[in-house]
Amino acid sequence: METTESNNDRQIPPPTSPEPQLVNVNSLPGESISQNGVQQILLNNPTVATSQPMVKSDVVSTQAQHVNTPNEQQIITVSDNALNHAGPVVQAVKRPLSSTGIQQGPVISKVIIRNTNSTQPVPPGLVGTSTATKLTPTLVQTADGKQFLTDGNGRQLVSATGSPLKFVTVSQGTTGQKNVILTTAPTSPIKPIAPLSKVPIAPISPDKKSDTPAQYQRVSNVKRRKIAELIQLNSGNSNQGKIALPSGIVKIVSVPSSSVAATGGGVSGTSVSSTIPVHVQTISPSKQILKPAASTTTIHPIQLSTAGGKMPLMRIVSVTTGTTTATSATKMVTTIAGAKPIAPSLSTVVSGTTAKIAIAPSNSGKITTQPRFIMPANTPTFKIINASGVKPLAGLPPGTTLLAPQGSNILQGLTVIPSNYVTAPQLVTTQQDQMPQLPQENDTNTNGVKAPLKANGVLPDGTAGRPRKPCNCTKSQCLKLYCDCFANGEFCHECNCCNCLNNQEHEEDRKRAIKSCLERNPQAFHPKIGKGAAGQSQRRHNKGCNCKRSGCLKNYCECYEAKIPCSSICKCVGCKNFEESPDRKSLMHLADAAEVRHQQQAAAKDKLSSQIQEFPERPPEFGESGERLPFSFITSEVAEATCDCMMAQAEEAVRLAVSPSIAERMVLEEFGRCLKHVISSASRSKGPS
DNA sequence: GAGTTTGAAACT
DNA sequence: CAGTTTCAAACTC
């Protein structure tokens, strides 16, 4: 998309002061994992005084992720600014992997940073508990200043190789305030369980259940043993290989002064002074758009198209910018009517000076990647604007993390991603960002310049309507009435046009073009189809057509296209588009039939897609009481071992030259035995750890 | 998908 | 206002 590219190309000037540059959230959905295997989450809280107990924003609970590829390490890096400003930093929990790819050593499922210098207790509810929690690594500082990581019970943690966990220092800000970076291991793509092919099994009569000779059954005993070993290895008993589900993260970001940290590409930050309270909430794909009951808040759903397609969806809620005080922002976060309640431990974050950003997991059992603060890079239909709506903060490059100037109330901690990661429904701008209303039938607006209200296909309420056909303009720059988008008072949006200027980035050109059109024809932007003369209920083309060759029975004719008969205003030649015309009747009949067909197909498609959405992506691996369900033991390794057993039986059948039906039975019975093995081994492994 | 036809819009 | 050119959509192959 042209406009996106131009946004992405735009460079942000370097910062004017040596403000602390923060590590940014640099991973795009579905990309970071494959690129560097590390997902980073920014946690910056330099404003907390040393002696103060930590507030919620100082604490991040995270969960180690299952790492299932060889050579991949899990690294948890915590820079604990709040411990003291000297900044002890705990780094690295490196856990080598076994040859099976299953983790050895403890599963770090929670990290708690505590201010051990403080005499005040850590406020309750700082860290959300998780059923997957097996260990609570805690940074402990002794009286002589040494720090080490404990398991929460006073025992020092060491790496799997026995070496103590290392401490590293972290860069410090210029004002004695420090950035805190929390880096968690990626949410590794969970290997899907290899689906077991459905094997049609012929019914076996009770008396013939096991007519395969016993010696055949023992053929694969050795191989089957491997299944049990795999299940034991992968069971909850050893706590290894457990896939920790990510939880929501709550944070407040504040920095001493305005700065924007950008991701790679050498793009530097710039000063940002803006006021945009934003509520970010993860939603599940099939959820309806939430509408606040009595609020001017606009809620915009965003769908992130990712490689894996499993990224939790984020909803960004922007608020009418006229009420962007800290108080209203707080209210905004807490009063979204109908929004899913946020878990208590992850509830609204309040910090004296910053915007309120809350994030809640849509369904902790289903999220497979870490919730992120994400918003699209500027698009023609969505911009980051300041409170007055006057100065758009355009051109933030993808990967930019927005940070707040101290004392301001600002959108922050959101990562800008390329708009091509955001699929329909698109976002719309807030009210101040929208252009004036198009002239209506009796519009007496005299400012002379009318402009579009919305983007092509986006309804005024921000929801996505049926999009207009994308235009294909090549020479008009979409600033002439040839362009349907422009003629209808819309911005081009996902069109195929070249050199398009019909967007917010070319406001001036657009205004000039609109003015020029209105000079030629003051009615230029009035609807072409209006009501008929008094007493007539039918619609009518306001200008009439001028068709010469089409008989007004093709879509070249504007009257016919609008499904209305030509009128006395028309200057057409050889018109057949009148009420009684048999040609028109037959064509309209065909058109109606086609329309019905189209609607039926669309309805069927909608139904199918909604059914697909309702289908669970992946059943939960754990039961309600936290026990591991049997099927979760069927890992790819187990499936492979099962196949080995079946193959061995097949080979044995060939060696013995049995009939095909016996051979088939031998293999299928082997499968049954393997399955029993899985179930029994799993049940033995499900005991408390 | 390329080429043609068509009529509205833009221009002279 | 009429004639011509430009343009993008509709249409055909």
Side-chain angles (χ1 to χ4, degrees):
Chain A
M1 194 159 57
E2 180 191 70
T3 50
T4 303
E5 286 165 7
S6 63
N7 280 332
N8 294 351
D9 291 343
R10 196 171 299 177
Q11 299 292 302
I12 286 183
T16 52
S17 63
E19 300 299 342
Q21 295 301 302
L22 305 181
V23 174
N24 44 44
V25 181
N26 61 356
S27 53
L28 294 174
E31 289 185 355
S32 67
I33 289 165
S34 60
Q35 284 175 356
N36 55 21
V38 174
Q39 182 180 17
Q40 294 181 326
I41 296 167
L42 184 67
L43 173 68
N44 178 51
N45 185 17
T47 60
V48 177
T50 308
S51 58
Q52 291 176 345
M54 296 182 70
V55 296
K56 283 184 180 180
S57 56
D58 299 317
V59 179
V60 169
S61 79
T62 185
Q63 292 170 314
Q65 307 300 321
H66 176 65
V67 180
N68 57 4
T69 56
N71 305 320
E72 193 175 357
Q73 294 176 329
Q74 173 169 348
I75 300 173
I76 297 176
T77 303
V78 177
S79 165
D80 180 7
N81 170 69
L83 203 62
N84 63 39
H85 285 299
V89 179
V90 181
Q91 193 216 345
V93 180
K94 295 184 178 181
R95 293 178 297 160
L97 301 167
S98 74
S99 57
T100 60
I102 295 171
Q103 291 174 334
Q104 306 293 315
V107 173
I108 307 295
S109 56
K110 189 189 294 182
V111 173
I112 300 175
I113 308 167
R114 283 182 177 154
N115 185 350
T116 52
N117 289 333
S118 170
T119 56
Q120 301 184 48
V122 177
L126 284 179
V127 179
T129 55
S130 162
T131 54
T133 299
K134 298 294 178 191
L135 190 64
T136 305
T138 305
L139 183 63
V140 173
Q141 179 166 327
T142 59
D144 57 0
K146 290 179 181 172
Q147 300 99 28
F148 55 91
L149 200 64
T150 73
D151 63 358
N153 295 315
R155 289 171 296 190
Q156 183 174 3
L157 292 178
V158 296
S159 73
T161 57
S163 57
L165 296 176
K166 291 197 307 190
F167 299 136
V168 298
T169 55
V170 69
S171 62
Q172 201 149 345
T174 54
T175 58
Q177 295 165 329
K178 193 159 55 96
N179 304 325
V180 180
I181 301 158
L182 172 70
T183 302
T184 67
T187 302
S188 301
I190 298 168
K191 280 186 182 174
I193 293 172
L196 294 173
S197 315
K198 286 181 182 173
V199 181
I201 302 177
I204 301 172
S205 60
D207 56 332
K208 293 184 74 179
K209 264 186 181 171
S210 185
D211 60 356
T212 309
Q215 69 268 26
Y216 301 160
Q217 296 181 21
R218 284 192 293 271
V219 165
S220 303
N221 275 351
V222 175
K223 289 177 180 291
R224 278 199 297 275
R225 215 169 291 142
K226 189 181 171 188
I227 296 174
E229 288 169 8
L230 282 167
I231 287 173
Q232 288 298 322
L233 197 58
N234 194 25
S235 73
N237 284 352
S238 62
N239 213 16
Q240 293 165 349
K242 179 168 280 189
I243 300 169
L245 296 169
S247 64
I249 285 183
V250 174
K251 65 167 185 165
I252 279 291
V253 179
S254 60
V255 290
S257 64
S258 63
S259 67
V260 170
T263 351
V267 183
S268 304
T270 187
S271 178
V272 175
S273 60
S274 178
T275 303
I276 308 174
V278 167
H279 176 103
V280 181
Q281 185 182 24
T282 54
I283 57 173
S284 62
S286 58
K287 289 285 187 297
Q288 295 290 315
I289 298 167
L290 296 180
K291 274 280 181 185
S295 162
T296 55
T297 304
T298 309
I299 298 182
H300 307 298
I302 307 173
Q303 290 189 343
L304 300 173
S305 54
T306 62
K310 297 290 177 71
M311 189 70 186
L313 302 186
M314 299 278 181
R315 173 181 296 144
I316 291 183
V317 182
S318 64
V319 171
T320 305
T321 50
T323 59
T324 51
T325 65
T327 308
S328 68
T330 307
K331 278 184 184 170
M332 181 273 296
V333 168
T334 54
T335 60
I336 300 297
K340 186 173 179 172
I342 300 170
S345 62
L346 303 170
S347 62
T348 305
V349 179
V350 177
S351 174
T353 61
T354 62
K356 313 304 180 289
I357 299 173
I359 186 166
S362 61
N363 183 336
S364 59
K366 285 186 180 175
I367 292 179
T368 54
T369 51
Q370 194 79 46
R372 304 268 304 280
F373 308 101
I374 293 174
M375 64 180 301
N378 287 343
T379 69
T381 54
F382 185 85
K383 278 189 176 185
I384 305 164
I385 60 170
N386 62 10
S388 65
V390 173
K391 189 181 176 184
L393 303 175
L396 295 178
T400 300
T401 298
L402 300 178
L403 300 171
Q406 191 170 27
S408 78
N409 175 18
I410 185 179
L411 165 70
Q412 55 183 309
L414 297 185
T415 301
V416 178
I417 64 172
S419 55
N420 59 332
Y421 277 83
V422 181
T423 58
Q426 270 290 332
L427 307 175
V428 295
T429 57
T430 51
Q431 197 63 40
Q432 284 81 349
D433 206 22
Q434 291 166 352
M435 296 292 286
Q437 283 271 359
L438 271 177
Q440 301 302 309
E441 280 299 301
N442 297 314
D443 192 358
T444 55
N445 189 335
T446 55
N447 70 4
V449 179
K450 319 290 184 183
L453 168 69
K454 57 190 182 293
N456 176 358
V458 180
L459 300 178
D461 68 354
T463 60
R466 190 177 75 170
R468 178 183 301 283
K469 279 182 70 175
C471 73
N472 301 295
C473 307
T474 55
K475 298 181 177 177
S476 66
Q477 298 180 305
C478 299
L479 288 186
K480 296 203 167 167
L481 294 172
Y482 299 127
C483 174
D484 264 6
C485 304
F486 180 76
N488 284 284
E490 295 175 348
F491 292 121
C492 285
H493 167 58
E494 294 185 349
C495 294
N496 307 311
C497 37
C498 303
N499 305 316
C500 179
L501 301 182
N502 183 28
N503 49 51
Q504 287 182 308
E505 278 70 41
H506 298 90
E507 206 65 81
E508 289 308 310
D509 290 329
R510 222 175 126 270
K511 279 181 179 172
R512 268 197 299 275
I514 291 168
K515 193 175 180 182
S516 169
C517 283
L518 288 169
E519 280 169 1
R520 278 194 299 270
N521 173 18
Q523 317 289 311
F525 293 101
H526 282 208
K528 285 182 174 177
I529 309 297
K531 282 190 174 177
Q536 288 186 318
S537 60
Q538 281 185 326
R539 295 178 304 143
R540 193 180 72 159
H541 196 290
N542 287 333
K543 252 180 77 181
C545 70
N546 300 291
C547 304
K548 304 273 186 305
R549 308 169 70 94
S550 65
C552 299
L553 288 183
K554 293 195 171 177
N555 282 330
Y556 299 126
C557 174
E558 291 192 351
C559 299
Y560 180 81
E561 190 179 28
K563 294 186 168 63
I564 52 180
C566 290
S567 69
S568 55
I569 313 173
C570 297
K571 303 178 194 71
C572 42
V573 177
C575 179
K576 295 175 183 170
N577 184 27
F578 52 93
E579 289 281 12
E580 296 78 21
S581 164
D583 290 340
R584 178 177 188 267
K585 280 179 180 171
S586 58
L587 276 172
M588 293 300 250
H589 183 72
L590 286 172
D592 286 347
E595 176 71 11
V596 169
R597 241 191 345 268
H598 178 80
Q599 285 176 357
Q600 285 173 343
Q601 286 171 351
K605 196 177 170 187
D606 280 356
K607 191 177 177 186
L608 185 66
S609 61
S610 67
Q611 285 173 342
I612 289 171
Q613 279 196 345
E614 284 167 12
F615 195 79
E617 291 173 359
R618 176 186 169 88
E621 292 193 40
F622 298 93
E624 285 185 358
S625 54
E627 87 282 6
R628 196 168 170 182
L629 298 176
F631 87 90
S632 68
F633 289 93
I634 307 176
T635 62
S636 55
E637 290 88 355
V638 170
E640 201 172 307
T642 302
C643 288
D644 277 352
C645 295
M646 294 167 72
M647 283 302 295
Q649 278 294 71
E651 286 164 8
E652 184 64 13
V654 169
R655 192 182 68 80
L656 296 170
V658 297
S659 69
S661 63
I662 295 285
E664 188 178 298
R665 187 172 295 280
M666 286 169 63
V667 172
L668 293 178
E669 286 185 358
E670 177 59 32
F671 175 70
R673 285 190 292 274
C674 290
L675 203 57
K676 277 176 64 179
H677 232 72
V678 168
I679 294 168
S680 60
S681 301
S683 61
R684 280 200 303 275
S685 303
K686 276 194 299 179
S689 56

Coordinates of all heavy atoms in Angstrom, one line a residue, chain A residues 271-311:
Chain A
S271 N 11.0 13.7 20.0 CA 10.2 14.2 21.1 C 8.7 14.0 20.7 O 8.3 14.3 19.6 CB 10.5 15.6 21.4 OG 9.7 16.1 22.4
V272 N 8.0 13.6 21.7 CA 6.6 13.4 21.5 C 5.9 14.1 22.6 O 6.1 13.9 23.7 CB 6.3 11.9 21.6 CG1 4.7 11.7 21.5 CG2 6.9 11.1 20.5
S273 N 5.0 15.0 22.2 CA 4.1 15.5 23.2 C 2.7 15.4 22.7 O 2.2 16.0 21.8 CB 4.4 17.0 23.3 OG 4.2 17.7 22.1
S274 N 2.1 14.5 23.3 CA 0.7 14.1 22.9 C -0.1 13.6 24.0 O 0.5 13.2 25.1 CB 0.8 13.1 21.8 OG -0.4 12.7 21.4
T275 N -1.3 13.6 23.9 CA -2.2 13.1 24.9 C -3.2 12.2 24.3 O -4.2 12.6 23.7 CB -2.9 14.3 25.6 OG1 -1.9 15.2 26.1 CG2 -3.7 13.8 26.8
I276 N -3.0 10.9 24.5 CA -3.9 10.0 23.9 C -4.1 8.8 24.9 O -3.3 7.9 25.0 CB -3.4 9.4 22.6 CG1 -3.0 10.5 21.6 CG2 -4.5 8.5 22.0 CD1 -2.4 10.0 20.4
P277 N -5.1 8.9 25.7 CA -5.4 7.8 26.6 C -5.8 6.6 25.7 O -6.7 6.8 24.9 CB -6.5 8.3 27.5 CG -7.1 9.4 26.7 CD -6.1 10.0 25.8
V278 N -5.3 5.5 26.0 CA -5.6 4.3 25.2 C -5.8 3.1 26.0 O -5.1 2.9 27.0 CB -4.5 4.1 24.1 CG1 -4.7 2.7 23.5 CG2 -4.5 5.1 23.1
H279 N -6.8 2.4 25.7 CA -7.1 1.2 26.4 C -6.8 0.1 25.5 O -7.3 0.0 24.4 CB -8.5 1.2 26.8 CG -8.9 -0.1 27.5 ND1 -9.1 -0.2 28.8 CD2 -9.2 -1.3 27.0 CE1 -9.5 -1.4 29.1 NE2 -9.6 -2.1 28.0
V280 N -5.9 -0.8 25.9 CA -5.6 -1.9 25.0 C -6.0 -3.2 25.7 O -5.8 -3.4 26.9 CB -4.0 -2.0 24.8 CG1 -3.7 -3.2 23.9 CG2 -3.6 -0.7 24.2
Q281 N -6.7 -4.0 25.0 CA -7.2 -5.2 25.6 C -7.1 -6.3 24.5 O -7.5 -6.1 23.4 CB -8.7 -5.0 26.0 CG -9.2 -6.2 26.7 CD -10.7 -5.9 27.0 OE1 -11.3 -5.2 26.4 NE2 -11.2 -6.6 28.1
T282 N -6.6 -7.4 25.0 CA -6.6 -8.5 24.0 C -8.0 -9.1 23.9 O -8.8 -9.1 24.8 CB -5.7 -9.6 24.5 OG1 -6.1 -10.0 25.8 CG2 -4.3 -9.2 24.5
I283 N -8.3 -9.5 22.7 CA -9.6 -10.1 22.5 C -9.4 -11.3 21.7 O -8.4 -11.5 21.1 CB -10.5 -9.1 21.7 CG1 -9.9 -8.7 20.4 CG2 -10.9 -7.9 22.5 CD1 -10.8 -7.9 19.4
S284 N -10.4 -12.1 21.7 CA -10.3 -13.3 20.9 C -10.9 -13.0 19.6 O -11.7 -12.2 19.4 CB -11.0 -14.5 21.6 OG -12.3 -14.2 21.7
P285 N -10.5 -13.8 18.6 CA -10.9 -13.5 17.2 C -12.4 -13.4 17.0 O -12.8 -12.6 16.2 CB -10.3 -14.6 16.4 CG -9.2 -15.2 17.2 CD -9.6 -14.9 18.6
S286 N -13.1 -14.2 17.7 CA -14.5 -14.2 17.3 C -15.3 -13.3 18.1 O -16.5 -13.2 18.0 CB -15.0 -15.6 17.6 OG -14.8 -16.0 18.9
K287 N -14.7 -12.5 19.0 CA -15.5 -11.6 19.9 C -16.1 -10.5 19.1 O -15.5 -10.0 18.1 CB -14.6 -11.1 21.0 CG -14.2 -12.1 22.0 CD -15.4 -12.4 22.9 CE -15.0 -13.3 24.1 NZ -14.5 -14.6 23.7
Q288 N -17.2 -10.1 19.5 CA -17.8 -8.9 18.9 C -17.1 -7.7 19.3 O -16.5 -7.6 20.3 CB -19.3 -8.9 19.4 CG -20.1 -10.0 18.9 CD -20.4 -10.0 17.4 OE1 -20.7 -9.0 16.9 NE2 -20.2 -11.1 16.8
I289 N -17.3 -6.7 18.5 CA -16.8 -5.4 18.9 C -17.5 -4.9 20.1 O -18.8 -4.9 20.1 CB -17.0 -4.4 17.7 CG1 -16.2 -4.9 16.5 CG2 -16.5 -3.0 18.1 CD1 -16.5 -4.1 15.3
L290 N -16.8 -4.4 21.1 CA -17.5 -3.9 22.3 C -17.8 -2.5 22.1 O -17.1 -1.7 21.6 CB -16.5 -4.0 23.5 CG -16.2 -5.5 23.9 CD1 -15.3 -5.4 25.1 CD2 -17.4 -6.3 24.2
K291 N -19.0 -2.1 22.5 CA -19.4 -0.8 22.3 C -19.7 -0.2 23.7 O -20.5 -0.7 24.5 CB -20.7 -0.7 21.6 CG -20.5 -0.7 20.1 CD -20.2 0.8 19.7 CE -19.9 0.9 18.2 NZ -19.5 2.2 17.8
P292 N -19.0 0.8 24.1 CA -19.2 1.4 25.4 C -20.6 1.9 25.5 O -21.1 2.5 24.5 CB -18.2 2.5 25.5 CG -17.8 2.8 24.1 CD -18.0 1.5 23.3
A293 N -21.2 1.8 26.6 CA -22.7 2.1 26.7 C -22.9 3.6 26.6 O -23.5 4.1 25.7 CB -23.2 1.6 28.1
A294 N -22.4 4.4 27.5 CA -22.6 5.8 27.4 C -21.3 6.5 27.4 O -20.8 7.0 28.3 CB -23.4 6.3 28.6
S295 N -20.7 6.5 26.2 CA -19.4 7.0 26.2 C -19.1 7.4 24.7 O -19.7 6.9 23.8 CB -18.4 5.9 26.6 OG -17.1 6.2 26.1
T296 N -18.2 8.4 24.6 CA -17.8 8.8 23.3 C -16.7 8.0 22.7 O -16.1 8.2 21.7 CB -17.4 10.3 23.3 OG1 -16.4 10.5 24.2 CG2 -18.6 11.1 23.6
T297 N -16.3 7.1 23.6 CA -15.1 6.3 23.2 C -15.4 5.4 21.9 O -16.5 4.9 21.7 CB -14.8 5.3 24.3 OG1 -14.6 6.0 25.5 CG2 -13.6 4.5 24.0
T298 N -14.4 5.4 21.1 CA -14.6 4.5 19.9 C -13.7 3.3 20.1 O -12.6 3.4 20.5 CB -14.1 5.3 18.7 OG1 -14.8 6.6 18.6 CG2 -14.5 4.5 17.4
I299 N -14.3 2.2 19.8 CA -13.5 1.0 20.0 C -13.2 0.4 18.6 O -14.1 0.3 17.8 CB -14.3 0.0 20.8 CG1 -14.5 0.6 22.2 CG2 -13.5 -1.3 20.9 CD1 -15.2 -0.3 23.1
H300 N -12.0 0.2 18.4 CA -11.6 -0.3 17.1 C -11.0 -1.7 17.2 O -10.0 -1.9 17.9 CB -10.5 0.6 16.5 CG -11.0 2.0 16.5 ND1 -12.1 2.4 15.8 CD2 -10.5 3.1 17.1 CE1 -12.2 3.7 16.0 NE2 -11.3 4.2 16.8
P301 N -11.5 -2.6 16.5 CA -10.8 -3.9 16.5 C -9.7 -3.9 15.5 O -9.8 -3.3 14.5 CB -12.0 -4.8 16.1 CG -12.8 -4.0 15.2 CD -12.7 -2.6 15.7
I302 N -8.7 -4.6 15.9 CA -7.6 -4.8 15.0 C -7.3 -6.3 14.8 O -7.3 -7.0 15.8 CB -6.3 -4.2 15.5 CG1 -6.5 -2.8 15.9 CG2 -5.2 -4.3 14.5 CD1 -5.3 -2.1 16.6
Q303 N -7.2 -6.7 13.7 CA -6.7 -8.1 13.5 C -5.3 -8.1 13.0 O -5.0 -7.4 12.0 CB -7.6 -8.8 12.5 CG -9.0 -9.0 13.0 CD -9.9 -9.9 12.2 OE1 -9.5 -10.1 11.0 NE2 -10.9 -10.4 12.7
L304 N -4.5 -8.8 13.7 CA -3.1 -8.9 13.3 C -3.0 -10.1 12.4 O -3.3 -11.2 12.8 CB -2.3 -9.0 14.5 CG -2.4 -7.8 15.4 CD1 -1.6 -8.0 16.7 CD2 -1.9 -6.5 14.7
S305 N -2.5 -9.9 11.2 CA -2.2 -11.0 10.4 C -0.8 -11.4 10.6 O 0.2 -10.7 10.3 CB -2.4 -10.7 8.9 OG -1.7 -9.5 8.6
T306 N -0.6 -12.6 11.2 CA 0.7 -13.0 11.5 C 1.0 -14.3 10.7 O 0.1 -15.0 10.2 CB 0.9 -13.3 13.0 OG1 0.0 -14.3 13.3 CG2 0.6 -12.1 13.8
A307 N 2.3 -14.6 10.7 CA 2.6 -15.8 10.0 C 1.9 -17.1 10.5 O 1.3 -17.9 9.8 CB 4.1 -16.0 10.1
G308 N 1.9 -17.1 11.8 CA 1.3 -18.3 12.4 C -0.2 -18.2 12.6 O -0.9 -19.1 12.8
G309 N -0.7 -16.9 12.5 CA -2.1 -16.7 12.6 C -2.6 -16.9 14.0 O -3.8 -17.0 14.3
K310 N -1.7 -17.0 15.0 CA -2.1 -17.3 16.4 C -2.0 -16.1 17.3 O -2.2 -16.2 18.5 CB -1.3 -18.5 16.9 CG -1.6 -19.8 16.1 CD -3.0 -20.3 16.4 CE -3.3 -21.5 15.6 NZ -2.5 -22.7 16.1
M311 N -1.6 -15.0 16.7 CA -1.4 -13.8 17.6 C -2.7 -13.4 18.2 O -3.7 -13.3 17.5 CB -0.8 -12.7 16.7 CG -0.3 -11.5 17.5 SD 1.1 -11.9 18.4 CE 1.3 -10.3 19.4

